[in-house]
Amino acid sequence: MARILIVGGGYIGLYAARHLERRLPTGAHELVMVSPENHMTYQPFLPEVASGLIDPRAVVVPLRSALRRTRLILGEVERIDAESRTARIHLSDGRRREEPFDVAVIGAGSWSRTLPIPGLAEHAVGFKTLPEAIWLRNRVLAQLDTASEAEDVEERRTALGFVFVGAGFAGIEAIGELEDFARAALAAYPPGMASEMRWVVVEATDRILPELDPTLATYAADRLLERGIQIRTDTRLVSIEDGTVRLSDGSSIAAATVVWTAGVRPSPLASASGLPVDDHGRVRVDRTLRVEGIDGLWAAGDVAAVPDPHAPSGYSPPTAQHALRQARTLAENVAALLDGRPPRPFRYRNKGMLCSLGHYRGVADPLGVPIRGFPAWFLHRTYHLVYMPTVGRKVRIALDWTVALLFPRDIAQLGSLEHPRDAFRRSAGS
Ligand SMILES: Cc1cc2nc3c(=O)[nH]c(=O)nc-3n(C[C@H](O)[C@H](O)[C@H](O)COP(=O)(O)OP(=O)(O)OC[C@H]3O[C@@H](n4cnc5c(N)ncnc54)[C@H](O)[C@@H]3O)c2cc1C
């Protein structure tokens, strides 16, 4: 009996585990997953969570109910020792434990890729996790509340300034959805604030959405500009201090909220474990997704440099679309080797990209066909609804969308959730 350790409960972890559960005979092998959370997050829906269109619980999949035969350990793998075949786990209760394995699947994903910019770590927020998306929704409402009460013009301007750094898919979708949300929310605030709101996206290269065809990117930029969203290309963030965002063109923006969406870097687990990594820190795998030169170790998704003859860079891009297919190939190959059959190479041709701009608009190039406007927005929604794991989650999301169509946006600000004990402490007089 082999013990298969799956590191991470994201796309790779969940889909590889599900596939292995189906492929391996019951009781033949042991499946163990280590994940810091007890759920998988469907990241493509984070912009809609941030704008309150979808309830946060609808975009997470509880791992214990999605996986029938996989034991879940809540914690983080700190190091994988390929020689002794053990993983050191930092458990969620603070203890540490060595977990032996015969086969390990590394699906630890990626982190926000940051730079040493003064004030960035202290004042900005990333956009990769569910807590960040929930926080941003509350933050936007809190800033509208602050601005509505501010007597000082400068204070109001700063509260109503929102800067997004990085104009890839995550940045554009996030600013598109959140600006739409803020504008809708303003209907319940004193008049005049809309003209003072300032939404800016800052991009170091010469255009937004570099992954898309320039015509589609131009269409997207035009739609955002029409809505008053400013786009600063060929510009970098220089510093953030006291509500002032300084840019490389010498200008500055009064903004209390800065969202960093300037790309991702692989989880440092592979380098910390002394595994072979490329220049970006991604674990090197062969075309069958086996870690180069190490038997029993497999990796895929954002953490891995997966050779891909169809990708312009020669490696699969860090997308859910690719992770989903890699997880299946990886699980199939692990099962094949346990059966004494040879593994097969990962083969997948990008089916195109989808980007929602909020406000019922989007851009997409499915199978290379450029689509824009409402059809692209609709395709984005439908595609992700189809791929959202579990029927229950699909239904919840469809219901949330229906409610959002029929009723005004919910603008209750739940920032107090971050301090659940405050009210009780006050009652207790401490
Ligand atoms: C806002 C946003 C929007 C996106 N939209 C799209 C889209 O529209 N289309 C698309 O194709 N892609 C999209 N992506 C990219 C896509 O979500 C990722 O490429 C995909 O999640 C990668 O899957 P993964 O399994 O490698 O990593 P993840 O899904 O991130 O999973 C990694 C998991 O590993 C866990 N983990 C990390 N370190 C450890 C450790 N040391 N020990 C144990 N567990 C660990 C993490 O907690 C996480 O659960 C989007 C990403 C973001 C952030």
Side-chain angles (χ1 to χ4, degrees):
M1 177 190 272
R3 170 182 263 233
I4 303 167
L5 182 80
I6 299 167
V7 182
Y11 274 87
I12 295 299
L14 175 64
Y15 284 96
R18 274 180 137 187
H19 206 72
L20 283 166
E21 285 189 355
R22 265 182 242 130
R23 285 288 289 103
L24 300 175
T26 313
H29 303 288
E30 191 184 349
L31 288 166
V32 181
M33 175 184 283
V34 185
S35 166
E37 302 95 19
N38 76 350
H39 59 258
M40 177 261 195
T41 304
Y42 193 89
Q43 292 171 350
F45 277 138
L46 289 182
E48 292 196 47
V49 169
S51 68
L53 285 174
I54 306 180
D55 183 74
R57 276 179 306 156
V59 304
V60 295
V61 182
L63 294 169
R64 289 188 201 279
S65 28
L67 299 169
R68 303 267 165 224
R69 291 164 42 202
T70 304
R71 182 161 67 89
L72 180 65
I73 300 177
L74 280 187
E76 265 184 52
V77 173
E78 290 181 328
R79 193 168 192 285
I80 294 172
D81 188 333
E83 214 157 284
S84 65
R85 302 227 170 178
T86 51
R88 190 176 66 217
I89 304 176
H90 188 183
L91 298 166
S92 57
D93 64 9
R95 287 179 299 135
R96 285 192 164 75
R97 186 162 93 204
E98 297 287 331
E99 193 74 20
F101 63 82
D102 300 297
V103 175
V105 172
I106 307 172
S110 54
W111 295 11
S112 290
R113 185 188 56 207
T114 54
L115 296 169
I117 294 171
L120 181 68
E122 296 83 354
H123 302 297
V125 65
F127 196 68
K128 257 200 76 62
T129 66
L130 191 63
E132 286 166 344
I134 297 171
W135 183 87
L136 261 174
R137 178 184 174 279
N138 289 320
R139 172 71 172 188
V140 168
L141 292 169
Q143 293 308 107
L144 298 186
D145 287 336
T146 304
S148 70
E149 289 304 320
E151 283 163 14
D152 178 63
V153 180
E154 227 17 74
E155 193 191 331
R156 198 162 58 238
R157 195 172 293 158
T158 306
L160 293 175
F162 302 89
V163 175
F164 287 65
V165 186
F169 281 91
I172 292 299
E173 289 198 349
I175 199 168
E177 290 290 349
L178 276 158
E179 188 273 344
D180 196 27
F181 169 58
R183 205 157 285 280
L186 278 180
Y189 285 82
M193 280 168 55
S195 60
E196 289 178 292
M197 256 198 333
R198 202 164 178 204
W199 292 78
V200 184
V201 59
V202 176
E203 166 59 42
T205 67
D206 61 356
R207 70 172 173 104
I208 68 166
L209 298 172
E211 306 89 340
L212 272 183
D213 177 80
T215 340
L216 287 177
T218 305
Y219 170 87
D222 289 346
R223 297 295 76 73
L224 297 179
L225 290 168
E226 266 171 19
R227 287 161 53 186
I229 297 174
Q230 296 176 23
I231 300 173
R232 304 281 192 89
T233 48
D234 289 317
T235 309
R236 282 171 293 102
L237 173 68
V238 170
S239 69
I240 312 170
E241 60 192 82
D242 293 336
T244 302
V245 176
R246 294 192 196 287
L247 304 178
S248 57
D249 60 3
S251 65
S252 59
I253 303 167
T257 308
V258 180
V259 187
W260 181 261
T261 51
V264 295
R265 67 185 167 99
S267 147
L269 177 62
S271 358
S273 303
L275 303 178
V277 291
D278 71 356
D279 293 347
H280 304 282
R282 297 177 297 186
V283 58
R284 301 184 75 97
V285 294
D286 63 21
R287 287 201 59 199
T288 67
L289 305 174
R290 240 184 321 200
V291 175
E292 275 182 6
I294 306 179
D295 279 345
L297 239 57
W298 303 76
D302 288 7
V303 76
V306 177
D308 186 341
H310 299 301
S313 69
Y315 295 95
S316 290
T319 73
Q321 187 186 156
H322 288 81
L324 198 74
R325 276 79 183 188
Q326 288 166 7
R328 282 196 203 123
T329 304
L330 189 154
E332 199 59 45
N333 285 346
V334 168
L337 275 195
L338 290 171
D339 272 359
R341 289 180 290 109
R344 64 186 172 88
F346 169 69
R347 277 202 195 94
Y348 177 67
R349 201 181 275 274
N350 195 338
K351 298 281 183 291
M353 305 298 275
L354 303 162
C355 178
S356 164
L357 305 170
H359 214 66
Y360 307 103
R361 294 282 179 276
V363 279
D365 60 354
L367 305 172
V369 181
I371 304 184
R372 60 192 74 182
F374 180 80
W377 173 85
F378 187 74
L379 185 68
H380 175 271
R381 277 202 156 181
T382 319
Y383 173 89
H384 286 301
L385 191 65
V386 168
Y387 277 94
M388 181 72 210
T390 81
V391 178
R393 257 57 195 175
K394 290 186 212 292
V395 172
R396 279 180 189 221
I397 290 172
L399 286 175
D400 282 351
W401 283 341
T402 313
V403 169
L405 272 179
L406 300 176
F407 298 97
R409 298 277 188 126
D410 183 346
I411 56 163
Q413 197 252 106
L414 300 178
S416 55
L417 285 178
E418 288 165 43
H419 314 283
R421 299 186 63 227
D422 282 3
F424 185 70
R425 276 211 199 97
R426 205 171 48 240
S427 311
S430 71

